[in-house]
Structure formats: structure tokens, C-alpha cells
């Protein structure tokens, strides 16, 4: 008897905000998720035109919507106005243009069985999913990458109690409307439960984020492209303590510079910051004002070059500001582990990233705002810079990731959870 080939795939609509070629970490995750699930679902992505940097290419300025197909995934891109990351008003206009455009785009995609949205943009991502559920009469899966308003409150981005209360009300509504809520950390499960004390907690599960371990992996120190990267940015012959990722509000990086300054006379050590973000300029100004010769700022690296930049670091920061525990999980953790590098974790006790580092013993950890503790960890790491224990920590991280935190492991879980939502 010939087995029937599966042709009647269920249709899945994903509100992604950013999608490739944009370099936002959620965009990369959603690309790998969508492409990993196309054997099971007929997938349509609704996202903005490439614009993560704030700029929009001329070819995306002519129409409201652009239909494309990327690696078997249907994509509807929405034109949005350009913005500056340091200008709140321009960012709000940009986000609202996506929100309204995505609501309209919902009518352009036909029948859907499932709707999936992430918590980006904050609050609006969840509400888009509810809109899609209602308009398509579909099952709704809400993936919370960051809890808001909790994140907004933690870093003091807004102190307006009325606004924060409204944000909480809307996001709890999105959670209740969801047929399934997926969070990305064990600590985030507790936050979800805490939101609904004494009331029915929405149906939920926890799935770690991941990295493609076949794209990021350890390379020898003398690999020609790793050497070329070091030479290009003046890092050769140094012990490199690296931060790679968004230079934003959620990492307490300005106070980290105060600690780094204590090591300004170490000519054998360099602190490299790779990436862009809202506070990059402040960090550069601090470096110049305090004449920190051993601090380097390096632009975002293309995804194809990330393997070389991550391998150039001898040890990597994985940091969060105080109050982020249970709110989000720094995705840079997975890239560092994939590259087989040891970690300096500045993370709250009980947070998902810290739990992993402690369970795997792939780095040193201390609490956010414990600046004396951070200084001691850096001192200890520098003492061990030629010690095999340091490289063994990195190897343990890589080994754990390959076993439990790969793309295939997590995508399989998502496929099962989405498919079982209805």
C-alpha cells in the first residue's frame, strides 16, 4: 500500500515585525523557525520592509505592501517611515505604521488555521495576534520573547503609571486570548503565573531559543578569517573580552564602563564592543573622555561573518540590567556557547541564562549592579587567560548546546506545540 504524501498542509500566519535580511535577533530566530517548519505548515510572514537600522532602501519606498517568497516562505512586507533609534517620536511612528499595516495585510493572506505572533513590538505584537485570531478564526499562539511592561519598568524607560497599567492590561488580554503562550525561559514561566495570581493561568509552555550550531562553531585561533578580523580592528596579540550584540538600555553597559576603566592600564587586554544601539554614542564618549585606549567599538557584523567575530573573542559578556530576571533571556548566550567560548555572566540568580551557565559550568557569574563582584570576575578571568580551565569551560558550553539548544531541537518543539493548539 502506497503511503499518501502530505499535501494539505495547515496554514500558519506569523506576525514577525522584523524578518531577514534584517539583523534583529528575533528576525533571525523567526527565519529559522519558519524555514524549519515549512515541511509541516504553509507559512506566510507579515513584517516590515528591511529597516532595522532605521533606513529604508529606495526599492521599498514605492508601495504600501511588497509580496515576496524567501526560501519557500511567503512574505508580505509593509512599508514604514524611516526612524532614528535615539528619537522616541520617530520610533513610535515607525512601529504604528507596522501595526496598522499588519492589520490591513491580514486581509491579504486568505484562510489561516493558526496565527503566531511574538511580543515585538511590545504589547502591539500580542494584540496583532489577537486581531489575526479574530479575523481568521484561527488558533492563536503567542510567543513572549520579552515581557512588557515589566521590561519597560525594569530599565525606567517609562514611569507613567497610567501608561504602564494600560500596557499590562492589554498584554494580559493577549495572553488570555491565546490558545497557547510560549515563553523562552523557566523564570518567564513564573512571571506569567505571577501575572494571573488567583486566576486561571493561560495554557503555556517553555521552549528555549537556540542557535544554528552548524553556522556558529569553534574555529582555531590561527584561522585566516579570525586573524584577519583581529588585524582589521587592532585586536591582535591581546586577550579579548568581547561584548557582541545590541548596545541598548537593558544591559547596564554605562556602569560596566566604570568597571572596565579600572583595567585601562592593561595593554595586554582589550575590551571589544561589537554592535549598534541607543547608548553606543554614550559609551564612545565615555571611552574618549576617560582615554580608554584598550576599549574598541566595532560595527555590526554580517551574519555570515559572525562566526569569525565570535571566535575572535577569548571570553564573552552575557549581561542584563537588574530587574530583567523573568522578563527576557539574552539571545547572545547561545552564540557564545556555540562558538565554544567562556562567559562572564552578569545576571540575576534564577534567570534562565544564569541557570544554564551554572548548570553547565561554562563561565563565571555575578549579580547585576555588583560592580565590585564584576571587577573581581574580570581580574580572575585575566589571571586564567593562559589556563586550560578557561578553554574547557567554553568546550563544556558547546557540548551542552549541541545536545540541548540546537535549532532542530527547538523547532521540533515549536512544530509540535503549534500543531497541538487546535
Amino acid at each position: 500500500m502506497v503511503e499518501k504524501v502530505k499535501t494539505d498542509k495547515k496554514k500558519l500566519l506569523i506576525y514577525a515585525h522584523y524578518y531577514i535580511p534584517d539583523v534583529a535577533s528575533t528576525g533571525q530566530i523567526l527565519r529559522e523557525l519558519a524555514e524549519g517548519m515549512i515541511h509541516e505548515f504553509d507559512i506566510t510572514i507579515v513584517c516590515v520592509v528591511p529597516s532595522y537600522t532605521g533606513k529604508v532602501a529606495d526599492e521599498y519606498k514605492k508601495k504600501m505592501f511588497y509580496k515576496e517568497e524567501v526560501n519557500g516562505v511567503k512574505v508580505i512586507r509593509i512599508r514604514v517611515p524611516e526612524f532614528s533609534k535615539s528619537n522616541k517620536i520617530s520610533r513610535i511612528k515607525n512601529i504604528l505604521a507596522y501595526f496598522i499595516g499588519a492589520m490591513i495585510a491580514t486581509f491579504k493572506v486568505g484562510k489561516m488555521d493558526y496565527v503566531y505572533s511574538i511580543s515585538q513590538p511590545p504589547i502591539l505584537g500580542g494584540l496583532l495576534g489577537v486581531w489575526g485570531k479574530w479575523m481568521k478564526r484561527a488558533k492563536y499562539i503567542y510567543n513572549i520573547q520579552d515581557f512588557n511592561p515589566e521590561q519597560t519598568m525594569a530599565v525606567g524607560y517609562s514611569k507613567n503609571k497610567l501608561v504602564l497599567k494600560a500596557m499590562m492590561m492589554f498584554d494580559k488580554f493577549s495572553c488570555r486570548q491565546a490558545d497557547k503562550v510560549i515563553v523562552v525561559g523557566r523564570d518567564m514561566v513564573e512571571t506569567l503565573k505571577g501575572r494571573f495570581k488567583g486566576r486561571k493561568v493561560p495554557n503555556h509552555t517553555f521552549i528555549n531559543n537556540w542557535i544554528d550550531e552548524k553556522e556558529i562553531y569553534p574555529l582555531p585561533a590561527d584561522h585566516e578569517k579570525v586573524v584577519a578580523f583581529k588585524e582589521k580592528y587592532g585586536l591582535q596579540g591581546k586577550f579579548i573580552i568581547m561584548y557582541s550584540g545590541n548596545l541598548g538600555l537593558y544591559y547596564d553597559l554605562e556602569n560596566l564602563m566604570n568597571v572596565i576603566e579600572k583595567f585601562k592600564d592593561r595593554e595586554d587586554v582589550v575590551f571589544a564592543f561589537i554592535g549598534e544601539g541607543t547608548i553606543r554614542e554614550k559609551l564612545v564618549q565615555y571611552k574618549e573622555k576617560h582615554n580608554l585606549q584598550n576599549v574598541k567599538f566595532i560595527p555590526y557584523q554580517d551574519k555570515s561573518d559572525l562566526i569569525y567575530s565570535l571566535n575572535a573573542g577569548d571570553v564573552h559578556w552575557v549581561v542584563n540590567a537588574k530587574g530583567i530576571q523573568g522578563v527576557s533571556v539574552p539571545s547572545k548566550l547561545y552564540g557564545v556557547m556555540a562558538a565554544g567560548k567562556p562567559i562572564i555572566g552578569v545576571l540575576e540568580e534564577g534567570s534562565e541564562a544564569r541557570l544554564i551557565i551554572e548548570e553547565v559550568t561554562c563561565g563565571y557569574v555575578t549579580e547585576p549592579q555588583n560592580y565590585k563582584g564584576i571587577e573581581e570576575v574580570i581580574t580572575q578571568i585575566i589571571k586564567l587567560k593562559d589556563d586550560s580551565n578557561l578553554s574547557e569551560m567554553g568546550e563544556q558550553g558547546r557540548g551542552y548546546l549541541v545536545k540541548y539548544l540546537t535549532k532542530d531541537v527547538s523547532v521540533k518543539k515549536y512544530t509540535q506545540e503549534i500543531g497541538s493548539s487546535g
Side-chain angles (χ1 to χ4, degrees), residues 138-256:
K139 295 294 181 183
Y140 171 35
I141 297 91
Y142 185 20
N143 176 212
I144 299 180
Q145 293 280 334
D146 312 282
F147 272 111
N148 270 295
E150 290 91 338
Q151 190 177 48
T152 307
M153 290 154 67
V155 297
Y157 192 67
S158 171
K159 293 188 169 68
N160 185 318
K161 286 188 178 172
L162 204 62
V163 169
L164 295 170
K165 195 172 179 181
M167 287 172 75
M168 180 63 87
M169 183 184 75
F170 282 126
D171 209 54
K172 282 171 75 173
F173 169 74
S174 298
C175 290
R176 279 196 296 266
Q177 285 291 315
D179 295 279
K180 188 164 283 174
V181 176
I182 299 177
V183 296
V184 296
R186 286 163 279 183
D187 52 342
M188 292 176 71
V189 172
E190 298 311 310
T191 302
L192 182 68
K193 288 177 179 174
R195 278 184 167 191
F196 294 93
K197 272 185 186 146
R199 297 189 176 192
K200 187 172 182 286
V201 180
N203 182 20
H204 64 276
T205 191
F206 144 64
I207 304 173
N208 277 110
N209 281 344
W210 66 87
I211 196 149
D212 187 341
E213 78 290 356
K214 297 179 191 78
E215 283 187 9
I216 306 292
Y217 47 85
L219 292 172
D222 60 356
H223 187 283
E224 61 175 324
K225 291 204 171 176
V226 176
V227 171
F229 176 85
K230 289 181 183 180
E231 285 176 351
K232 183 175 182 180
Y233 296 107
L235 306 175
Q236 64 271 48
K238 311 279 189 183
F239 181 72
I240 302 161
I241 300 177
M242 184 175 282
Y243 178 96
S244 177
N246 178 31
L247 303 174
L249 293 167
Y250 308 125
Y251 312 108
D252 198 28
L253 296 176
E254 289 172 85
N255 287 314
L256 204 57

Side-chain angles (χ1 to χ4, degrees), residues 367-386:
E367 284 286 316
Q369 296 183 6
N370 177 10
Y371 304 115
K372 187 72 188 157
I374 297 169
E375 185 186 343
E376 286 167 4
V377 167
I378 296 171
T379 303
Q380 175 72 5
I381 290 268
I382 292 172
K383 268 187 198 164
L384 290 171
K385 64 189 176 79
D386 300 315

